[in-house]
Amino acid sequence: MTVHNDELYQQVILEHNKRPKNFLKLDSWTHSAEGYNPLCGDHLNVYLRVSPQGVIEEVSFEGDGCAISKASGSMMTVALKGKTVDQARALFNEFHRLLTKELDPEKDQNILGKLNVFSGIWKYPSRVKCAVLAWRTMKGALDQEKTVATE
Amino acid sequence: MALNIECVRKDFPNLSARGRDDKPLIYFDNAATTFKPCQVISQTHNHYCHRTANIHRGVHYLSEVATAEYESARDKVRRFINAKSLSEIIFTKGATESLNLLAQSYGRHFLKPGDEILLSMMEHHANIVPWQMIRDITGCVIKVIPINDKGEIILEEYRRLLSDRTKIVSVVHVSNSLGSVNPVAGMIRDAHAFGAVFVLDSAQGISHEPIDVQSLDVDFCVFSGHKLFGPTGVGVLYGKEDLLELMPPYQGGGDMILSVTFDKTIYNRLPHKFEAGTPNVAGVIGFGTAIDYVNSLGWSDITEYKKELVRYGTGLLQKVEGIRLIGTAANKAPIFSFVLDGIHAHDVGTLIDREGVAIRTGHHCTQPVMKFFGLAATSRASLTFYNTKEELDIFVAALRKVIGVFQ
Ligand SMILES: Cc1ncc(COP(=O)(O)O)c(C=O)c1O
């Protein structure tokens, strides 16, 4: 299959799908939430251990999902570790703007770094929910929501 | 005479549409909705261009023409399923509305606490949720008819569940997620032995094999026009006349009444009692044309050809490494549900779409049966008579490419 640059299934994503980072349940956490996508039945849990100073010391996820939601979750945990809660929220907002095409990585300065590979999702609007699931769940955990649905 | 598929394909303009990235389209999502032949499209077009009028309400010419065409479509449906009388054919907006009508009118009126409704494990949500809503109002009980791991109803279990408490059995004719063709004729006889009424969800069955409601002796049968090559927004509820007579109206409004005062309303006769308000006139007329179209091809050729597609498709898919076919009933429609080792259905759906192949991925509105198979989602290729073996070849080659991406 030819791989285009706007391709959603880039090597980074396939790698994270195959060997997701931080794909486990933490021994102890301060925040957690359960997220699901009613459309496809995808389902995951996100765990965060946040220090009293508001720094994300550990973050992990586990569950069932497609390559996109798994890779997105994996890359999210990598991106968030060591960040403050405020930085995590900012990253969430920016990632969300990327998925909804409000932010164009070709033109707009942004803090997303590797997460920009998800701009390939623009061609597949029905898959945006897969990419956002872990992030919405993470934000839900920070906001003390117990369950989050992407609808 | 066998179907001339090349000729048939020319009747369906949508088959020449392009898929993602301008790839030639292979449309394998016929269980979701079917394409419409140009005969149906031009009939609907013609209605809007030259014959627009409301029905049953005018003495003017166009209204009389539209009424006649609408009622003629009802007769086409009647003959298509061999119903006894026109009173037994009620137009709705789809199979879903037909089932809700039944639950709200028949169910709400006749069910008592402790009465039982039997549904099979492989029902569509449209044949589960309306009954749950009625259960919560009436205090009746829903019991589930088990299936085996091929996706076949276990008839001994079904018979064991039947009792004098069973008031309604509502079962899918052809499963949209497994392709199983259920042995409904015998199931109907079994239900009747206990005095239960039998509801047949033929949303998929209607395009799969001929249905004769009289020889089946089925009490109610529901289907949608858009899955039988007709327009969206049209469906049918067939019901035996004596049962429909006993049922209270489902919705109130124009057309379903004979006279209205603020004290009292007299309801219209069947079938109009259940058709409140302006119906989908153009859609119903187009649906009549879709039925003409299917009749013109002839059932025996259609069923022969579909059997061939089932055989050929199953053979090809079984050879794909790491595939698990979900739904391997002995009697099957050309609906192939499957999962691939380590690859999520949504990834299959998106990647195969890049090759121009349209399939459905997810739970197909049948979450209980997905759970039965221990799955959240499957990929599903659903074919009909305009699909070909060549398309199946391309589809399976594309599937192998998808597997390649994940290696
Ligand atoms: C078996 C079955 N029942 C009911 C329905 C509901 O049909 P509709 O959405 O046209 O009302 C469907 C359609 O997906 C179906 O496949």
Side-chain angles (χ1 to χ4, degrees), chain B residues 20-276:
Chain B
R20 175 98 52 188
D21 298 333
D22 209 34
K23 289 268 169 51
L25 174 71
I26 293 184
Y27 185 72
F28 278 2
D29 197 15
N30 293 286
T33 197
T34 54
F35 288 167
K36 328 299 173 199
C38 41
Q39 290 85 339
V40 169
I41 298 166
S42 57
Q43 178 69 274
T44 315
H45 182 81
N46 192 38
H47 174 82
Y48 283 125
C49 286
H50 306 295
R51 299 188 189 290
T52 303
N54 211 327
I55 55 166
H56 300 141
R57 306 184 182 183
V59 294
H60 64 76
Y61 175 67
L62 285 187
S63 176
E64 285 180 347
V65 172
T67 305
E69 289 184 345
Y70 182 90
E71 289 305 323
S72 141
R74 196 189 307 276
D75 196 44
K76 288 173 186 179
V77 174
R78 183 193 69 75
R79 276 179 283 145
F80 193 64
I81 60 172
N82 192 33
K84 209 181 287 173
S85 134
L86 287 169
S87 308
E88 299 179 321
I89 307 298
I90 292 150
F91 286 119
T92 62
K93 71 181 168 70
T96 302
E97 190 183 33
S98 302
L99 287 164
N100 277 281
L101 190 165
L102 270 179
Q104 290 296 331
S105 172
Y106 188 91
R108 189 194 278 256
H109 195 67
F110 290 110
L111 292 172
K112 305 264 173 315
D115 284 352
E116 291 177 3
I117 302 177
L118 302 189
L119 307 174
S120 89
M121 181 61 95
M122 63 176 100
E123 294 313 312
H124 190 280
H125 297 164
N127 196 23
I128 300 174
V129 184
W131 301 116
Q132 286 173 333
M133 291 163 67
I134 282 308
R135 172 194 62 192
D136 297 345
I137 293 170
T138 62
C140 73
V141 176
I142 293 176
K143 293 204 162 165
V144 182
I145 308 165
I147 62 174
N148 64 24
D149 55 16
K150 292 160 97 182
E152 296 167 323
I153 285 176
I154 306 173
L155 290 171
E156 305 78 70
E157 299 279 345
Y158 166 57
R159 294 193 193 106
R160 209 164 300 148
L161 282 170
L162 283 167
S163 76
D164 294 337
R165 290 184 304 278
T166 314
K167 299 300 174 209
I168 297 175
V169 179
S170 191
V171 169
V172 71
H173 178 180
V174 173
S175 156
N176 65 307
S177 49
L178 307 174
S180 322
V181 181
N182 289 320
V184 291
M187 293 180 74
I188 293 167
R189 281 193 298 274
D190 294 336
H192 286 167
F194 289 89
V197 301
F198 199 100
V199 181
L200 189 59
D201 175 0
S202 286
Q204 302 294 335
I206 192 72
S207 68
H208 181 69
E209 59 185 13
I211 295 174
D212 181 331
V213 291
Q214 290 190 72
S215 78
L216 282 175
D217 196 25
V218 70
D219 301 287
F220 298 102
C221 176
V222 307
F223 48 93
S224 295
H226 70 99
K227 293 184 201 275
L228 187 72
F229 318 101
T232 48
V234 178
V236 171
L237 167 64
Y238 160 81
K240 284 182 180 163
E241 190 162 358
D242 52 340
L243 294 174
L244 291 173
E245 284 292 359
L246 295 174
M247 288 160 54
Y250 162 58
Q251 291 178 330
D255 268 350
M256 54 76 70
I257 48 85
L258 287 179
S259 77
V260 177
T261 67
F262 279 105
D263 292 328
K264 186 173 166 55
T265 290
I266 302 171
Y267 299 130
N268 204 340
R269 292 172 288 111
L270 286 172
H272 310 291
K273 178 170 92 174
F274 291 107
E275 290 179 10

Side-chain angles (χ1 to χ4, degrees), chain A residues 1-2 4 7-9 14 17-18 38-42 65-68 123-124 127, chain B residues 20-21 344 346-347 350-351 353-355 362-363 367 376-377 398 401-402 405-407:
Chain A
M1 191 171 290
T2 45
H4 306 274
E7 162 76 78
L8 177 54
Y9 291 84
L14 293 171
N17 171 52
K18 212 180 233 171
L39 196 71
C40 56
D42 283 359
C66 61
I68 304 306
K123 283 177 76 181
Y124 306 94
R127 302 302 302 279
Chain B
R20 175 98 52 188
D21 298 333
H344 191 282
H346 274 117
D347 299 318
T350 296
L351 284 165
D353 177 57
R354 292 199 62 137
E355 305 296 308
H363 52 60
Q367 279 181 333
K401 278 192 183 180
V402 171
V405 170
F406 286 88
Q407 264 156 11

